[in-house]
Amino acid sequence: MTVSAPASSAIRYRLARPGEEERLGRLSAESFGDYPFFSFALREPFDSYQKYLDYMTRLHRMLIKAYIKKQVCLVGVSDGAVVSVALLHDPRSRDIGVTDYILAGGLGLVRGVGLRRLLAFFDISEAAQSACTAKHPDAWYVELLAVDTQLKGRGLGGKMIHDCVEPYVRGHDGRSLSLITNTEQNRRFYMSKGFTEFSESTLSCRGQTIGNWSFFKQLEI
């Protein structure tokens, strides 16, 4: 299925395809390379940023592969190149479980950070989403929204929400969106896109803490 942007736009939106996981994983990893949610939990074991980025690519490749198979992975394409990607969880569908992640390459992620750290990361991920799950269980959850780092600042993230994510969710009988973020900059971004902040918490890992904010948006029909 294709979700098309307005005729004046150079970006076309569509579902991701099997076989695209590597390049989508790299785009997503680069977009979130310095993002506190990942760096405070997974950065320490690596003695160089490149090694950390390679690991992040493997992590995001696994996540994207699982979403392509079990949930929703949307991409924005311009001039034949993917410039943005969004992962959506349909609340009516079965959750992605441990087996799904293992089949998508999850066991290989133990190498590099160790099993204990990796399991702690997944526990933190679950805790981060808990307010959305508890208060808005019927909302579609935005697991990830990433933009090509070379094109950041050009409004591609907001455009993907408005022209792709929201139309896709409405077209599949969805009525609302929820998500979390961990930076002040992103808080301002989502508020500017019509999201309402409804929960604030703190996430902890190995003596470090970061802020965690939950957002909700009711979609116009």
Side-chain angles (χ1 to χ4, degrees):
M1 175 180 179
T2 298
V3 182
S4 298
S8 59
S9 172
I11 301 178
R12 180 175 61 88
Y13 298 104
R14 60 168 173 79
L15 289 168
R17 303 167 184 142
E20 293 186 307
E21 297 89 353
E22 182 65 34
R23 62 171 174 165
L24 296 181
R26 173 63 63 170
L27 182 153
S28 182
E30 291 176 349
S31 181
F32 283 97
D34 295 320
Y35 194 66
F37 180 79
F38 294 102
S39 60
F40 96 126
L42 298 173
R43 177 68 176 89
E44 184 183 6
F46 301 97
D47 58 13
S48 73
Y49 180 75
Q50 186 58 53
K51 290 179 181 178
Y52 170 63
L53 184 61
D54 290 342
Y55 184 84
M56 283 279 287
T57 299
R58 290 161 52 203
L59 173 67
H60 284 256
R61 182 177 61 205
M62 175 207 69
L63 185 64
I64 287 166
K65 186 174 182 178
Y67 265 74
I68 288 176
K69 185 174 182 180
K70 293 290 186 178
Q71 284 287 341
V72 179
C73 179
L74 297 163
V75 296
V77 182
S78 179
D79 295 326
V82 174
V83 296
S84 57
V85 58
L87 301 182
L88 307 179
H89 179 271
D90 180 347
R92 301 165 302 181
S93 300
R94 184 177 67 83
D95 287 344
I96 297 174
V98 174
T99 300
D100 298 309
Y101 285 126
I102 290 174
L103 292 174
L107 282 180
L109 293 173
V110 175
R111 186 173 64 257
V113 300
L115 180 59
R116 182 177 298 179
R117 187 184 293 268
L118 184 62
L119 291 176
F121 170 75
F122 284 114
D123 286 343
I124 294 167
S125 299
E126 186 174 343
Q129 300 173 17
S130 61
C132 291
T133 303
K135 189 165 184 178
H136 299 290
D138 296 328
W140 283 59
Y141 183 75
V142 183
E143 175 73 34
L144 178 146
L145 176 67
V147 171
D148 187 323
T149 55
Q150 297 184 35
L151 300 174
K152 283 191 174 182
R154 301 188 187 183
L156 296 185
K159 186 173 181 59
M160 187 164 199
I161 291 174
H162 183 269
D163 294 343
C164 175
V165 172
E166 293 182 4
Y168 185 92
V169 171
R170 284 196 297 266
H172 289 76
D173 299 320
R175 297 293 179 262
S176 57
L177 294 169
S178 68
L179 55 85
I180 62 101
T181 191
N182 307 107
T183 68
E184 291 288 349
Q185 181 180 358
N186 281 1
R187 288 177 77 187
R188 295 190 295 270
F189 169 78
Y190 286 114
M191 288 181 199
S192 74
K193 304 308 173 189
F195 286 81
T196 299
E197 183 181 312
F198 68 89
S199 178
E200 178 179 356
S201 62
T202 300
L203 302 175
S204 301
C205 181
R206 297 177 179 269
Q208 300 183 69
T209 60
I210 59 171
N212 186 68
W213 296 277
S214 302
F215 285 83
F216 174 81
K217 183 175 183 178
Q218 191 73 42
L219 300 180
E220 296 180 2
I221 306 305

